[in-house]
Amino acid sequence: MATGGSGDVLAGIIAGLAARGLDSEQAASGGVFWHGLTGDITAFFQGEEELLAGDLLQHMVTARKVIMEHPDAFAGRIIPYPDLEMFVTRD
């Protein structure tokens, strides 16, 4: 996630959550979790090599779906992963 633009993606997620009414701590922690999970899902599908910030955008919806289906994860609890195959499948 140390690639140009990935911090911009994170900032956009946090700003979007704050705009939806979350307080700053919730927006920051939720945004970091969502961003990290999105990175893990992106790496799951295409590998960690040559991962670009734009690639994250393709998997943000999948990450959001995982978070919404497993609300304890969004509350800061640990979800059973890195076994992402429990949540997503490769086509």
Side-chain angles (χ1 to χ4, degrees):
M1 300 287 271
T3 184
S6 65
D8 296 329
V9 173
L10 174 59
I13 292 171
I14 293 171
L17 292 173
R20 294 185 60 96
L22 275 69
D23 67 39
S24 59
E25 185 177 334
Q26 291 173 323
S29 62
V32 167
F33 184 85
W34 188 359
H35 185 257
L37 182 59
T38 300
D40 290 342
I41 292 170
T42 303
F44 176 78
F45 282 105
Q46 69 186 52
E48 295 180 18
E49 301 297 321
E50 301 179 16
L51 191 142
L52 302 174
D55 299 332
L56 298 174
L57 301 176
Q58 297 176 347
H59 300 287
M60 284 183 65
V61 173
T62 302
R64 182 181 184 278
K65 181 179 176 187
V66 169
I67 292 167
M68 297 305 288
E69 290 177 357
H70 303 279
D72 288 345
F74 195 69
R77 295 183 180 90
I78 302 299
I79 59 174
Y81 102 80
D83 187 11
L84 290 174
E85 291 184 13
M86 295 178 69
F87 304 109
V88 296
T89 57
R90 294 183 176 118
D91 292 334

